[in-house]
C-alpha cells in the first residue's frame, strides 16, 4: 500500500478546509507549506485538526541548528505531526530537526532530491545520494525524492532501505502515478487534486494506489 498525501497549496482558508474535508476519506495525510500558512497563519492547523489526518509541515527547514530547533519547536507546538527539512545545511542542523520531531513523538523527513528541472543543477547524482545517507545517519524518518525521475528513486531506495520515501511531482509536474507508487511509501499530489473541478473525485481516483 502506498500513501496518498494531499499537498494543500491553496491560499484561501475556506477553500483549503473545504478541499481537505472532501478529500479526507481518500488520503492518508495533508502536507501544508508556506503558501497556505503565510496566507492564513498557523491557526489553519487547528482548522484541519478535526479531520484526524497527520499534518506535515513542509517548511523545508534549512538554517543553523539553533534556528532549526526554534522553527521545529514552533511547528510541533502548533500541532503538526511531521516536519520536512533540508539536509544540505549539514548533519548537525538536520539532526536538530529530527531530534525535536522525535521529542514531540513526531517525524522528520529530509529532502534528498527535488522534482523540478533545475534541481539537477545541485540536487543530483552524488549530492542526492549523500543527502540520503545523511538522512539515515541523522535517524530521519524518511526522505523526499522526485516522482519526475523514478530511476533516481531506485538509487536512493538502496541507501535508505525501508525508511519512508515520499515523492512529489506526479501529475502537474509530469510524473506518472502508477510508476512512482510502486517505488515509494507515499505520493504527494497537489494541483492535480486541488485544481480539479471535483477535488474529492480526483482524490478518489488517485487513491487507487492505497489498495
Ligand atoms: O502536485 P504539485 O506539483 O501541485 O505540488 C507538489 C508539492 O510538492 C508542492 O507543495 C511542492 O512544493 C512540493 N515539492 C515538489 O514539488 N518537489 C520537490 O522536490 C519537493 C517538494 C516537497 O514537498 O518537498 C518537501
Amino acid at each position: 500500500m502506498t500513501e496518498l498525501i494531499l499537498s494543500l497549496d491553496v491560499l484561501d482558508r475556506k477553500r483549503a478546509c473545504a478541499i481537505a474535508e472532501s478529500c479526507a476519506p481518500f488520503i492518508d495525510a495533508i502536507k501544508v507549506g508556506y503558501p497556505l500558512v503565510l496566507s492564513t497563519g498557523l491557526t489553519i492547523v487547528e482548522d484541519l485538526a478535526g479531520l484526524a489526518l497527520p499534518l506535515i509541515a513542509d517548511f523545508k527547514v534549512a538554517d543553523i541548528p539553533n534556528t532549526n530547533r526554534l522553527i521545529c519547536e514552533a511547528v510541533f507546538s502548533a500541532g503538526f505531526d511531521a516536519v520536512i527539512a533540508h539536509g544540505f545545511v549539514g548533519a548537525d542542523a538536520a539532526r536538530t530537526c529530527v531530534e525535536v520531531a522525535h521529542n514531540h513523538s513526531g517525524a522528520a523527513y529530509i529532502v534528498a532530491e527535488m522534482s523540478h528541472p533545475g534541481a539537477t543543477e545541485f540536487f543530483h547524482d552524488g549530492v542526492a545520494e549523500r543527502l540520503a545517507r545523511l538522512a539515515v545517519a541523522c535517524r530521519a524518518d524518511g526522505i523526499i525524492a522526485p516522482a519526475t525521475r523514478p530511476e533516481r528513486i531506485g538509487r536512493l531506495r538502496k541507501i535508505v532501505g525501508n525508511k519512508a520515501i515520499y515523492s512529489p511531482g506526479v501529475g502537474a509536474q509530469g510524473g506518472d502515478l502508477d510508476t512512482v507508487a510502486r517505488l515509494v511509501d507515499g505520493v504527494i499530489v497537489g494541483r492535480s487534486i486541488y485544481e480539479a473541478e471535483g477535488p474529492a473525485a480526483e482524490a478518489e481516483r488517485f487513491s487507487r494506489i492505497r489498495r
Side-chain angles (χ1 to χ4, degrees):
M1 180 196 132
T2 308
E3 291 182 13
L4 177 59
I5 299 159
L6 173 63
S7 184
L8 198 53
D9 299 320
V10 299
L11 303 181
D12 177 77
R13 181 190 298 267
K14 264 192 174 167
R15 184 167 164 248
C17 291
I19 291 171
E21 195 178 337
S22 68
C23 293
F26 311 112
I27 61 177
D28 298 286
I30 299 174
K31 181 175 81 68
V32 174
Y34 293 114
L36 183 54
V37 166
L38 291 177
S39 303
T40 64
L42 275 173
T43 52
I44 188 69
V45 178
E46 295 159 25
D47 295 352
L48 297 173
L51 300 174
L53 286 167
L55 298 177
I56 303 170
D58 178 11
F59 295 149
K60 297 188 181 70
V61 184
D63 216 307
I64 62 168
N66 187 60
T67 307
N68 277 4
R69 181 176 59 77
L70 296 170
I71 294 169
C72 292
E73 289 290 355
V75 159
F76 287 99
S77 299
F80 279 103
D81 301 286
V83 69
I84 296 174
H86 271 304
F88 64 75
V89 278
D92 54 352
R95 190 175 291 115
T96 303
C97 297
V98 176
E99 285 171 0
V100 173
H102 291 177
N103 286 344
H104 287 266
S105 304
Y109 305 96
I110 302 293
V111 180
E113 178 167 331
M114 295 191 74
S115 58
H116 58 302
T120 57
E121 289 174 42
F122 292 101
F123 277 105
H124 202 48
D125 281 336
V127 175
E129 279 83 345
R130 284 177 67 190
L131 290 168
R133 272 185 225 108
L134 175 146
V136 173
C138 293
R139 299 179 184 278
D141 298 274
I143 60 166
I144 306 298
T148 48
R149 287 181 224 98
E151 73 287 357
R152 297 286 303 146
I153 296 174
R155 294 269 298 272
L156 298 172
R157 172 64 78 194
K158 287 197 180 108
I159 296 169
V160 303
N162 59 8
K163 280 194 190 292
I165 300 183
Y166 289 146
S167 191
V170 158
Q173 296 181 51
D176 178 67
L177 178 69
D178 297 300
T179 306
V180 174
R182 280 193 289 274
L183 304 171
V184 303
D185 302 274
V187 174
I188 297 170
V189 183
R191 284 165 288 179
S192 297
I193 292 177
Y194 68 73
E195 285 184 353
E197 214 166 288
E202 203 55 19
E204 183 170 19
R205 207 173 65 76
F206 274 91
S207 73
R208 66 174 182 270
I209 64 170
R210 303 169 77 202
R211 290 195 288 268

